[in-house]
Amino acid sequence: MPDARQDAQQRVDRIRAFREQLADLERDEVLVLSAEQRDRLNEHIDRLQKQLATDFDVDVSTSQKQISLGMKIVSALGGLALCTGVFLFFYRYWGLLATPVQIAILVAAPLVGLAGMEFSSRRERTLYFTALIGLVTVTLFVLNLIVLGQLFNIAPSPNAFLAWGAFAMLLAYTYRLRWLLAVSLVGLAVWVSGTTTVSAGGFWPSGFDRAESYLLSAVAMVVYGTLSRENDFSATYRLCGWLTGFLALLALGTAGESYLAADPKIIRKVYQFAGLGSAAGAIWLGIRRQWNGTVNTGAAFFTIYLVVRLVDWWWDWMPKYLFFLIAGGIAAVLLAAFRKLRARMEAS
Amino acid sequence: MKRGLPAAVALVVAANIVVLAGVAYNRSRVVERIELTEFELGQNYAGTDNSGISLRFEWTQGSWPYQSNWLSEERLKEAGINLPPLPPQSVEWRIPLPRPIFVALEIGGESWQKWRDEYMKKQDAVAPNMRVSLPRTRLISVDVARNPESLRRKYPDAAKHIIVRGVLRLSPGISQDRRSWQAYISELVPDSIHVPPPFTDIFRPLKFEQNRDTPRYAVTLCFGIRYEPWIESVRRL
């Protein structure tokens, strides 16, 4: 449903743009419709917009869009406040409950969340509130296992992330919710990292110190997002993969420790160039495939990598005024390059 | 009903069953039982908004300023933990991954007494006018190993030594121009113990205090097959 709604909203936006453009052409006397043509056109467009608004709950006018955005912000903040209140309520009275009652609440909470998602999905077309309830449900499942671990003093394990990731992915595919897919991919990436660390004989939370353990997950996400059938989920796989990979390379190129048995300084240099190279590669791939998200992510991280390198190479010895002058010049060159890229994407 | 929903429900139920089955397995046999006082199991500060109560392990590694680290390379090799080679002079140190290990903690025994005496002697020699108070805990780490069985064979008296899970870390050390790896136990796992009802009734009236002269309670702690602890009983002192 979210796919279809997005298509419908895009169509409504195109119709609105068409109307505005037609008005401009008529004003400039380039194209003037007869009264009959105008009436038929308006009747058709009005009927189409009404149908789309009825079927997909899309915003027909700009002011409707602004109100929808406002509603989304208010409902998100309200939901967050409600969840915080419920959490703090339990935090305050949790210790007064008997252990079996605590266990029952922990197990029941995500199940109630699932029921809420199903109830909401049957009553709304856009699945906006279903997505919010979904995020809360995943949070409840995370709390479920964390608090159980605290109640019984269990030694922590990365396998909890497998359960959380799989849960979020099930919900993402059941209700076609991209946010939940992103959450699931993060959870599964942490599980892969923790399991890799345990296999290497380490204490699993130290996987966060070895960002290489995230590169495999990043590559898998990008490859899957590239080769799978193109839809909104494939874009989410790619975006999560790029973000995971770029952040890992940023950590590895600055202060992170590595699994590789070589001089850490040399390893960091290799990862610094790998970061710049992969960001450039992402931009190239995004242009070829017309993936705006990939181009923007690649461009953003290329800029970040460059800034970090410049600071690392020049900050200590270069006069500060010269550093900022050169940085400004580089920014101007990058802006010109991105403008060319944008023009090339528009042309294709 | 959407097809994925029953699978999601099953996953929640299955995950909880796995966790609770693990708890039942851990508690199916008590491998250690020890009584510790407030000096060894201090209260965690909770605040007015948090009604949960937990205790934290208070222990010492027995390595203070002016004393050499007992976790020497020989001791670690004995425990089956090999140190990585030292890097050449101009090359940066590669910090190895922290490792999960088992730690033998002695309770108020010879090692603890020896550590206190040695520390006070060295303290007097180096800075006699400086007033220092040692931690009141009687728990001191005396050994490490990769598995608990080898530690228990070495320290068979469960009343004097408990075996707990911990994390071993290595950091570069330079002492008197001599480079070496410095090993230390960064944390015990878990380092906090949840207090279940009805034992919470004993702790609720107690104010959070540190540096007391006398302990106010004693806790009987059990460890199960997976060396995950739980509180068996609590008594006021």
Side-chain angles (χ1 to χ4, degrees), chain B residues 191-231:
Chain B
D191 60 358
S192 270
I193 315 287
H194 171 71
V195 179
F199 305 125
T200 45
D201 297 338
I202 297 175
F203 290 96
R204 269 193 218 293
L206 301 179
K207 247 178 55 176
F208 177 77
E209 281 182 43
Q210 286 179 307
N211 302 321
R212 285 183 55 84
D213 289 330
T214 54
R216 293 173 291 181
Y217 54 82
V219 174
T220 301
L221 202 62
C222 293
F223 288 81
I225 297 174
R226 302 202 309 195
Y227 288 86
E228 289 163 1
W230 70 92
I231 294 176

Side-chain angles (χ1 to χ4, degrees), chain A residues 92 95 144 153 203 210 268, chain B residues 16 51 92 94-95 98 194 229:
Chain A
R92 180 72 182 85
N144 172 186
N153 311 309
F203 183 50
R210 296 284 195 276
R268 273 201 287 279
Chain B
N16 281 278
S51 57
E92 206 175 294
R94 283 185 65 236
I95 310 295
H194 171 71

